[in-house]
Amino acid sequence: MADHPDVEGSAKPAAASIEASSLSDQLATIKLALGTSPIRKHLFWACVGIVAVIVATSIGQVLLNRWNEPFYDALARRDMQGFLHQLLVFAAIAGGLVVLNVGQTWLDQMIRLKLREALTLDLIGEWMRPARAFRLANAGAIGVNPDQRLQQDAGHLSDLSTGLGIGLLQSFILLVSFVGVLWSLSSGFVFHIGGYSLAIPGYMVWAAILYAGTASWLSWLVGRPLIRFNSDRYTREAELRSSVVRVNENVDAIALAHGEADARRRLELDLGTVLGAMRRIYSAQINLSWVTDTYGWITVVAPILVASPVYFAGDISFGGLMMAVGAFNQVHASLRWFINNIGGIADWRATLMRVADFRIALVETDVLHDTEERITIGENPNGRLTFENLEIASRDGCTKLAEPHVEIRAGERVMITGDPRAGKTLFFRAIAGLWPWGSGRIGMPAGEVPAFVPRKPYFPLGTLREVLDHADAAVSDAEISAVLAEVGLGRLSSSLDRSARWERELSDDEQRLLAFARLVLRQPKWVIIDEALDTFDGATLRRVLSMLEARLADAAILNIGRGQQNIEFFPRSLAIVKDIERPALKPVRVRAGAIEPPPAVAAAYQET
């Protein structure tokens, strides 16, 4: 969060001490996500189906390779009848392979779809656990732009994993199918050198392994930097998209401030970082192309060159040569899977790192900072809210109540004030359980769930009726209309079934009024407000307080704010103070991609 003259307790985050997460950690995380997904059975059977199809395709490829010898021998003999017969055999084999290829394409798409569904649902479920998204958003770089990791990265990882996984499986099965064929074909190869005969068992198999192994090693050596470059590019792309969204959401303020030039400069800078990242990727890809393309062209003649000495010695026929060449190409194609996919593997590795590290962060945010002392939150059987020696730790001091022991009874109305930078919103978040670091005890009334009213209300997408009845029992239209009229939003009574982005249609004060209308419709017994009343003018404030008096007469209401607005409504007052002499939170070591240390979080949480 940027420094600002009005920021309470603003502070810049400290550097994090980070340990890298390993590939095994990342793979284990994805395995856990898929293993607990409700989609896992569909995904399992789709994988079983594609394995069966690939095995059947490999059998067809072996039959097609065997077809080479009689077909080319028929051509060499100018045997028309044999030639036509082999064409019919080819049509049968090719027809079966076409059906299998179409089936494989369909299963490929289903696996991509189910894999993305499973991954994205898991990430959404972990992200939306209570308070996780809030804590992660303020936890450093890993919490920035979660939309890209949930939408783009999860989808990209699903596509890459499916494509690379199926390709690897297909290459392995083809290798197993053809290595025996190639070994058998090259078992009779004898080299005649200077009157000596030399037989090398499985000669063409060893030649294919040596050839593909050399190419794979060079490809990995040249293409390895792509992992880092791709990861950096995705980060830069997310920053550019975030900047565009930020400008789009603030176009009115930008226009009023004549800030188009500054906004354009910021966007151009972000675009420049994206283009720089892309240039590094393209340079690495060009270097990789020198290796892969060179080997690709050599492969056109390599199997013939390998088998030619035996052919010219007369030890195999032309059909046998073509059969050996076909088997060599299949084995070599299987072995060069790594060469052909080095760019995709680097991209997959970078994407896996982003998605898995994000999920690791989501899980570890619940157990982070075990070295820090925590506030105890319990329940009071007497139905009262208590604060016992409560001290809330932050980077620049300790926030607490002036009174060490405070008890608030049901139905009480309390005004809680404090100087600027005292940490009023930090106190609000501690009561809500969002900020657990500190000491002391918060005792909540047993069996009650307080309603928390932040300064900036949240409205889910949907109709106005859904916004007002969100997650609660439905109320009548007449009741909704009456409450809207009481807060001065009677004009919205005719829009109950209209869907809209209400945070864009309503002014800031109107959004807060709508939040108070929703509050009284839910009828909570305990209400805790964070400065949401401070911006209202006198007439509006009186109208809201009058509604709360009439409709929440028995509710306990705590208003954390800047000053005493209405001493009759809030007869009791408490004060929040900050002790700047208290020690700051201590940094801890965490894994990269998880969470940054408490000082960074504390600084980010500071209220405006």
Side-chain angles (χ1 to χ4, degrees), residues 385-602:
L385 175 64
T386 58
F387 303 99
E388 301 290 336
N389 297 312
L390 177 63
E391 294 185 345
I392 306 164
S394 64
R395 188 185 178 195
D396 57 349
C398 171
T399 295
K400 59 184 179 180
L401 290 170
E403 303 174 33
H405 305 284
V406 173
E407 180 177 280
I408 300 173
R409 296 183 298 276
E412 269 199 278
R413 295 169 188 165
V414 183
M415 184 72 198
I416 303 176
T417 62
D419 294 334
R421 299 180 179 272
K424 296 187 293 294
T425 292
L426 203 61
F427 180 77
F428 173 80
R429 289 170 175 168
I431 301 174
L434 298 179
W435 185 261
W437 296 285
S439 62
R441 181 181 186 274
I442 300 175
M444 307 298 290
E448 299 291 342
V449 180
F452 293 92
V453 184
R455 287 172 292 175
K456 179 68 174 177
Y458 165 71
F459 302 121
L461 292 174
T463 65
L464 187 60
R465 186 192 309 280
E466 292 170 338
V467 167
L468 293 172
D469 294 345
H470 181 58
D472 288 274
V475 295
S476 66
D477 288 2
E479 183 74 3
I480 294 175
S481 298
V483 171
L484 289 174
E486 287 182 38
V487 295
L489 297 175
R491 62 183 176 82
L492 296 179
S493 297
S494 60
S495 302
L496 294 181
D497 294 311
R498 182 167 66 88
S499 294
R501 293 281 302 270
W502 298 104
E503 74 278 7
R504 292 190 174 183
E505 291 206 3
L506 303 177
S507 67
D508 290 345
D509 273 356
E510 287 176 329
Q511 291 180 49
R512 294 187 181 95
L513 289 171
L514 187 62
F516 279 105
R518 178 173 60 186
L519 176 71
V520 300
L521 288 171
R522 295 180 179 180
Q523 291 291 299
K525 295 298 183 182
W526 289 82
V527 179
I528 302 172
I529 304 169
D530 179 31
E531 296 188 345
L533 295 171
D534 288 354
T535 61
F536 293 145
D537 58 33
T540 303
L541 178 61
R542 287 191 293 273
R543 188 163 62 244
V544 173
L545 294 180
S546 176
M547 179 187 67
L548 295 177
E549 177 75 42
R551 292 184 175 272
L552 296 180
D554 299 328
I557 302 178
L558 284 69
N559 181 36
I560 303 170
R562 298 174 184 170
Q564 195 75 277
Q565 295 112 329
N566 191 309
I567 197 169
E568 294 179 357
F569 191 86
F570 296 106
R572 183 181 178 186
S573 65
L574 298 171
I576 295 175
V577 296
K578 173 162 285 189
D579 183 357
I580 61 174
E581 301 300 325
R582 296 286 291 174
L585 292 168
K586 297 174 293 184
V588 297
R589 289 183 66 82
V590 296
R591 288 191 293 179
I595 302 290
E596 291 183 10
V601 186

Side-chain angles (χ1 to χ4, degrees), residues 6-76:
D6 296 330
V7 173
E8 293 194 49
S10 63
K12 292 184 178 180
S17 181
I18 298 177
E19 299 175 356
S21 61
S22 65
L23 175 61
S24 61
D25 290 333
Q26 294 161 8
L27 291 174
T29 297
I30 299 301
K31 179 182 177 182
L32 177 63
L34 297 179
T36 57
S37 172
I39 314 297
R40 63 184 182 279
K41 289 185 179 179
H42 301 282
L43 194 57
F44 172 77
W45 287 114
C47 291
V48 169
I50 204 160
V51 169
V53 168
I54 290 174
V55 169
T57 302
S58 298
I59 294 173
Q61 294 282 6
V62 171
L63 294 176
L64 188 61
N65 180 257
R66 290 178 180 174
W67 169 86
N68 279 323
E69 184 173 18
F71 176 74
Y72 284 106
D73 283 343
L75 281 176

